[in-house]
Amino acid sequence: GDRPACLARSITKRDERYQRGTLRALCDELTAEATVRGECTVIIAGAPARPEAPDATTDAAHLAASGASVRTSADFLVRRHGLPRRRAYEIASAAQR
């Protein structure tokens, strides 16, 4: 996506320069330059957190009620909802309590 970013140019030299903005804005600035010289490093912001599916907790509760282990429940949540493994274990463990 069009995430926030920083373009660091010639960071070990006297004419070091940092440009900040969205990826699209940085691309537009570079396109407007006649030539781009020097070493460049691009730092891009991480992807925004995906909202957690509200039914992941419900699925974990159903699995716990049916006697599934925490590991089995967590594996299911990872596959079905695309959750990180650690978060899936947290939800599955909470459902077992």
Side-chain angles (χ1 to χ4, degrees):
D2 196 21
R3 300 180 192 170
C6 176
L7 175 66
R9 298 170 67 175
S10 302
I11 58 176
T12 60
K13 300 186 174 65
R14 290 187 326 166
D15 59 339
E16 122 182 358
R17 184 169 146 198
Y18 298 92
Q19 295 168 264
R20 291 174 179 83
T22 63
L23 289 170
R24 180 169 291 134
L26 292 174
C27 285
D28 291 344
E29 289 178 31
L30 290 174
T31 302
E33 293 182 23
T35 57
V36 178
R37 298 182 57 155
E39 298 85 22
C40 297
T41 301
V42 179
I43 303 164
I44 303 171
R50 292 187 337 190
E52 193 172 292
D55 56 345
T57 306
T58 305
D59 284 347
H62 288 295
L63 288 165
S66 70
S69 69
V70 173
R71 182 180 180 143
T72 301
S73 297
D75 288 343
F76 175 81
L77 295 175
V78 168
R79 283 191 315 273
R80 171 107 188 252
H81 298 284
L83 296 172
R85 186 163 296 284
R86 177 175 280 173
R87 182 65 183 135
Y89 268 93
E90 290 171 359
I91 293 170
S93 295
Q96 293 285 333
R97 289 186 219 128

